[in-house]
Amino acid sequence: MNSSPGYRNWTPLKRYGLCAVVFLVLLGLSFGLSYLHYKQDLSIPLLIGTILVAWFAGRGPGLALIVLILIAAIMRAEPRPGTPVSTIVFGYITAVVILGLLVVLVSGRRNASVTNRRLRRQNELLLNSVGEGIIGIDREGKCTFINPAAAALIGWATDELIGKPLHPLLHHSRPDGSPYPPAECPIGATLRNAAERHVSDEVFFKKSGDRFFVEYTSTPIYEDEEVTGAVVVFRDITEEKNARDALYQKGLLIEQSHEAIMVWDFEHGILDWNSGSERLYGYSRANALGKVTYKLLHTIFPVPVDEFLMGLQRTGFWAGDVVHLTRDGREVYSSTRYQIVDLNGRRTVLQTNRDITDRKRAENELRGLNDTLEKRVAERTQSLEEANKELEAFSYSVSHDLRAPLRAVDGFSRIVIEDYGDKLDAEGKRLLNVIRDNAQNMGRLIDDLLQFSRLSRKTLETSPLDIRNLAQDVCLELQSAEDATPAEFKIGELPESYGDRSLMRQVFVNLFSNAIKYSRKKEKIEVEVGGFAHNGENIYFVRDHGIGFDMKYADKLFGVFQRLHDAEQFEGTGVGLAIVHRVVSRHGGRVWAEAELNKGATFYFSLPRERTHEERPDAE
Amino acid sequence: MPNREVELLLVEDNPNDAELTLRALRKNNLANTVVHVKDGAEALDLFFGDSAADGEITPKAILLDLKLPKVGGIEVLERLKSDERTKTIPVIVLTSSREDTDLQRCYELGVNSYIVKPVEFENFIKAVTELGFYWLLLNETKS
């Protein structure tokens, strides 16, 4: 807009200065004209000058100019004879009045136009600077003005819209997509009924066809009590709406949540209480507001209440497992978190509680079960140990009780032979000896069985074993016995292994004894002992060159009481090899044998190399 | 009434074991007068009961089995060793039990010797013979 400076921008100095200048010019003119002997008719210059001053400098200087002119006129007036004073005075008064009126009119007009311009400029500035969109429409809904913000918001250029009906361009549909007839439009209502409207759930459409949510107020423009148009002030609330929707959604989520969520502060108590809280604790929202949470719920904290409060206030955070009491007196365990946030300048506590009663109960049960289990295991172990001991004692006493009559059988048979030997014939003596032999045999059976049972039950005490050394020891022991059958032992390289020394010793005792026993028929008894590593195991063998056995019956070798030779030729109970088998199996190894009748037999057994072996419970 | 001179008291309920024991002793001339009772009550009775009134018996040694009917061997031992009149008599337990508890208790009570009956006949005879030699011939008792 044009900005010719109004007199308001001039300082009084400037304004009165102009007045003075004009006056001086007029004076100069007057003197000049009189000097040049022209007729002094200054009416037009006076008028011009006055108008000038009144327009540019305002009423004050204008009136001042009139006064100056009057004074000058009076002083410079040449008395004209014949003119009555009243006429002159009247003339001056008329002149002053006319000039005065002129000044007032002109300066008034000037004021008005300047004010107008100023107002218009202000208007423009306002409209331009405002962030909201402002649109003016006339009674038919055509656009009369539109500020830059509005234009930007709706994607049109300002000059494109002036004079166009706006409803079909901007406001043709509702948010759900259905058409929006102008008759129902609130802005239309403003135009028709001069009603002010405020709407925040409608959409405007951009030039591009995109739409956005708006909040607008529509105000009527009056002229002489008649509505000549309306002003619509609007803003894009898409972001706000999204934020509001998101907030609403979050609010719903909180309401829906299983967790009990509450908000409180230290002054006013509970400010908010979600439906999860209502459900869990049984207090309605109305009942809970204003109360103190930990008093309402009789909260039991893992630490004293004061400590909790202090900690919470100090760090702004606290979390832990607590116990709450519901309205109907039930105890619930709750995993609770407190967080302090600054809301509206106030320290507000956000509290969420998760019902962990079930979990706690399960935990307690589990702990209880575990304890019971541990106790049961301990009891079981103890009873197993006791059972073992009992079995031991039982075996022992059984064997003793079984042997006592044997002692009698054997003994009394002997007595008969001793005391009545001379009265018995050879057959009689033989029969008695049969009785004795059987009694002794049974005694041996009992011993062997007892040993077998003991070896099966004994706990394995594994340690690194020098097998060669062990074999040599056993060999020495057997050979140095009083009634030892002389035999030659060839003990080769035997790899070291892991095992229970006393048990493995028994294995060698049995194998060596067997080797010797079944070689008795031969002239020279030779026993070879050797071993080698193979596939991660150590394999040992004891070879004899005695009577051997028929491979057909090889699988019977290791059964208890199984014998492949009759007792007449070779005594024995048939437990020896069963013991070997049981011991080696407990070590995680295997036994097997190869033989040829009358050539000899080789008994093999394997022991694991590493100590990784865990005892196999019922290896047969 | 003069004291009954008894060399050995045998407290044994098993008749076979008793017979073998007695035979072994006899064969070696180890004991001329042996009294044999079959249970603990009889044994106690001998020392503390009515029959004792007839005259004390002071054997040179007592062979005591532990597994006895009526009154067990341990109790007999206890009575014998706690009474002034009998506690100086040597008591040799001859039993089939090798239980630690029995051993412990017997020695606590002051048993003089504890022998486990050998299971084998020959060894049994040998043990009894040696017992006899030791306690009846070699060992000195107060008169």
Side-chain angles (χ1 to χ4, degrees), chain A residues 100 158 185 237 286 400 413 488 506-507 512 518 548 609 612:
Chain A
T158 47
C185 168
I237 57 166
H400 261 271
S413 311
E488 192 182 316
Q506 195 62 50
V507 164
F512 288 176
Y518 290 98
R609 224 38 117 65
T612 55

Side-chain angles (χ1 to χ4, degrees), chain A residues 408-425:
Chain A
V409 168
D410 189 30
F412 280 88
S413 311
R414 263 278 284 273
I415 292 171
V416 169
I417 295 178
E418 271 180 29
D419 291 358
Y420 297 92
D422 49 345
K423 297 208 179 67
L424 284 171
D425 63 349

Side-chain angles (χ1 to χ4, degrees), chain A residues 471-527:
Chain A
Q472 282 170 338
D473 277 354
V474 171
C475 168
L476 216 66
E477 205 182 295
L478 287 177
Q479 294 285 273
S480 54
E482 273 180 27
D483 50 355
T485 322
E488 192 182 316
F489 275 82
K490 289 207 193 98
I491 301 181
E493 285 300 317
L494 297 173
E496 290 187 6
S497 197
Y498 278 98
D500 181 313
R501 193 186 168 85
S502 65
L503 290 180
M504 286 313 297
R505 187 190 151 277
Q506 195 62 50
V507 164
F508 276 114
V509 165
N510 289 8
L511 288 176
F512 288 176
S513 307
N514 274 5
I516 295 173
K517 181 162 70 176
Y518 290 98
S519 303
R520 254 214 314 268
K521 295 259 173 82
K522 302 283 164 126
E523 276 184 22
K524 208 164 74 134
I525 303 179
E526 263 178 31
V527 181

Side-chain angles (χ1 to χ4, degrees), chain A residues 532-539 588 590 592 606-610:
Chain A
F532 52 89
H534 177 72
N535 278 351
E537 295 181 303
N538 288 337
I539 310 223
R590 307 179 320 280
W592 68 100
S606 68
L607 286 179
R609 224 38 117 65
E610 258 78 48

